[in-house]
Amino acid sequence: MSEVAVSPVPMPAKRRGAQLIMLALAVLIVMGAYANVGLAIDGQVPAGMLTYGLSLGGLMLAAYLVLAKFAPWADPLILPLVTLVNGIGLVVIYRLESAPMKGASATNQIIMTGIGVVLFAVTLLVLRDHRALQRLTYTAGLVGVVLLISPLVPGLGKEINGARIWIGFGSATIQPAEFAKIALVVFFAGYLVAKRDVLALAGRRLLFIDLPRARDLGPVLITWAVAIGVLVLQKDLGSSLLLFGGFVVMLYIATQRTSWVLIGILLFVGGAFLAGQLFSHVGDRFDVWLNPSSAEFYEREFGGSYQIMQGLFGLGAGGILGTGLGQGHPELIPLAFSDFIFNATGEELGLTGLMAILMIYALIVQRGLRTSLAARDPFSKLLAGGLSFILAWQVFIIVGGVTNLIPLTGLVTPFMSQGGSALLANWILIALLVRTSDAARRPPPQAIQNEGLTQVFQR
């Protein structure tokens, strides 16, 4: 009897085994770096190494078991990559705590990582089909906008370090924009699926570009107005860039029209320039960016360039290969455990280490975009593409800010920086990406049935 010519469908158990090995390797790399810090500072392995190792390993094993049970076809690389970058951040925070540096706490970071993993698991358990989110399109949009503007509510919002991006409950503070970005990506995906045919229609042609019809500019103008409002009222360039950039790119994914990207760039650059002319705090931020070495800005007590310059000095001290973990002085960089953790890492791991970390982020984004390409329905494509871009865009904004490529923003490095709101929100983002990946990579029932028949015939 001849064999049936059917392409074999890879069994999830095989991929899960490979994933577990990669996960164990990620934890071992982190523990090796952790031991290196202790040996460099004290000449001995840190006393709490076993505790931290078991804590991180146990958390990731729990995440793996939930993923293997409830999303067995999900991309096997995403969780190990996230574990590695999260662990590297934990090591750098421990190194800063040992410096010592006020505010740095590896214990708090491992606790927040644990809560993040719980949210990751809960998201996978509750959301069995991510396409159910499409029915909540406008609810997600409302939630996102409310979260975004909540820091402006008197008595609820708090201004910290010159930016009003926090809400407080007693001594606890939350940065709601981190959660708003996820809700808004869900809204953008659902809205653009419903309206993409209209938004793809061309109007007049200017040079080599087909411009959209004037009547279709409404969504872009509304999103632009909200983004500029966040920049002016909350003094938050990071969330403003994240919001508007995410919408424009998802609009491009939905319509495949370059004109939307050009219009978006012109609107944001023009709006930011106008805001800089009309509002002094916006203009000051651009002045500091353009002249960071100016004595006037460097010595300014608040809103100056001292942080940026110290971060650049740290990167310069690290050079190509870095000073080595535990052998530099990253504690001299203000907020090295949060906003400037990229610079602190660069001082001790050098440009080589930073390139490796950026490659990890690039791989996470690549797996997300691959999920977008493999998805079978428009909503899944837009959701996976939007979540992947938001992660990549946030990394670019923070790295660009701390290296003075663009003005400094209030965002933090995903998974690495100390801080509860960003870490928790990004673990939820990864859960959504994993859930979408599971649906995209899961073979149709007919393919699984054919694979079973093929195995029977081959026997």
Side-chain angles (χ1 to χ4, degrees):
M1 182 181 294
S2 61
E3 297 181 358
V4 179
V6 179
S7 300
V9 180
M11 297 302 293
K14 297 179 181 179
R15 293 180 298 165
R16 294 284 77 84
Q19 183 184 44
L20 185 58
I21 293 173
M22 291 186 289
L23 203 57
L25 180 60
V27 173
L28 287 175
I29 291 173
V30 171
M31 288 301 98
Y34 190 83
N36 196 357
V37 171
L39 291 170
I41 296 177
D42 302 320
Q44 59 184 4
V45 174
M49 180 175 173
L50 183 61
T51 302
Y52 280 108
L54 291 176
S55 298
L56 182 63
L59 286 172
M60 297 312 154
L61 178 60
Y64 164 80
L65 292 174
V66 172
L67 188 149
K69 175 66 175 178
F70 297 99
W73 293 94
D75 192 300
L77 284 178
I78 294 177
L79 183 59
L81 291 170
V82 172
T83 299
L84 183 56
V85 74
N86 198 154
I88 292 172
L90 181 65
V91 169
V92 175
I93 293 169
Y94 169 75
R95 187 267 173 273
L96 292 167
E97 184 181 10
S98 303
M101 184 176 194
K102 184 179 179 180
S105 175
T107 301
N108 288 345
Q109 185 71 353
I110 195 71
I111 291 173
M112 297 311 299
T113 299
I115 298 174
V117 171
V118 169
L119 292 177
F120 170 86
V122 169
T123 303
L124 289 180
L125 289 171
V126 173
L127 189 65
R128 299 300 180 88
D129 187 352
H130 65 281
R131 291 170 296 184
L133 294 174
Q134 189 173 0
R135 298 194 296 269
L136 303 175
T137 294
Y138 291 97
T139 302
L142 178 62
V143 169
V145 171
V146 169
L147 288 173
L148 199 61
I149 66 175
S150 58
L152 298 176
V153 178
L156 181 63
K158 290 188 175 183
E159 185 169 327
I160 301 176
N161 296 329
R164 195 175 179 85
I165 58 176
W166 303 86
I167 59 175
F169 304 95
S171 60
T173 57
I174 300 174
Q175 192 173 351
E178 291 288 347
F179 300 94
K181 68 184 181 185
I182 299 175
L184 290 173
V185 167
V186 173
F187 166 69
F188 293 155
Y191 176 81
L192 291 173
V193 166
K195 304 293 183 180
R196 63 175 181 167
D197 291 336
V198 174
L199 294 172
L201 294 176
R204 295 182 179 181
R205 186 175 181 83
L206 179 64
L207 298 178
F208 57 90
I209 299 174
D210 292 322
L211 297 176
R213 301 181 304 175
R215 72 186 75 170
D216 298 328
L217 290 174
V220 173
L221 293 176
I222 292 173
T223 309
W224 170 77
V226 173
I228 296 299
V230 169
L231 172 62
V232 173
L233 300 178
Q234 297 184 355
K235 306 176 186 178
D236 184 10
L237 177 60
S239 296
S240 180
L241 272 171
L242 202 64
L243 164 67
F244 193 66
F247 177 72
V248 170
V249 167
M250 291 181 70
L251 183 56
Y252 171 75
I253 294 174
T255 63
Q256 300 296 304
R257 289 208 171 275
T258 310
S259 55
W260 284 118
V261 178
L262 297 177
I263 290 171
I265 293 174
L266 291 174
L267 281 173
F268 192 85
V269 172
F273 176 80
L274 184 61
Q277 300 298 313
L278 297 177
F279 303 97
S280 59
H281 64 273
V282 178
D284 288 346
R285 175 160 295 193
F286 285 98
D287 290 338
V288 169
W289 168 53
L290 294 172
N291 304 285
S293 59
S294 168
E296 176 190 356
F297 296 133
Y298 184 79
E299 297 172 359
R300 183 181 291 178
E301 182 178 358
F302 181 77
S305 62
Y306 177 75
Q307 290 179 320
I308 297 174
M309 292 305 297
Q310 288 296 103
L312 294 176
F313 291 151
L315 291 175
I320 300 296
L321 298 177
T323 60
L325 282 172
Q327 300 181 55
H329 295 282
E331 70 277 5
L332 299 178
I333 304 173
L335 298 176
F337 56 87
S338 58
D339 293 25
F340 285 83
I341 197 170
F342 188 80
N343 304 71
T345 306
E347 180 177 348
E348 299 204 334
L349 295 183
L351 180 63
T352 304
L354 291 181
M355 290 298 102
I357 291 172
L358 290 177
M359 184 60 69
I360 296 172
Y361 282 119
L363 286 172
I364 297 172
V365 173
Q366 185 268 340
R367 305 310 290 186
L369 293 177
R370 183 173 178 176
T371 295
S372 178
L373 292 173
R376 301 183 183 93
D377 62 281
F379 177 77
S380 299
K381 288 182 178 294
L382 282 170
L383 182 63
L387 293 172
S388 302
F389 175 78
I390 285 292
L391 181 61
W393 189 225
Q394 183 165 349
V395 172
F396 171 79
I397 291 172
I398 183 61
V399 172
V402 299
T403 57
N404 207 44
L405 178 64
I406 62 174
L408 187 64
T409 68
L411 298 179
V412 295
T413 311
F415 299 107
M416 287 188 66
S417 295
Q418 181 177 314
S421 302
L423 188 59
L424 300 184
N426 284 318
W427 271 108
I428 295 174
L429 184 152
I430 291 298
L432 292 175
L433 204 53
V434 164
R435 172 56 69 205
T436 309
S437 171
D438 177 68
R441 297 166 66 94
R442 184 184 296 272
Q446 186 61 39
I448 297 177
Q449 182 180 1
N450 289 342
E451 168 63 10
L453 291 174
T454 300
Q455 294 176 356
V456 171
F457 290 149
Q458 288 177 344
R459 294 195 189 106

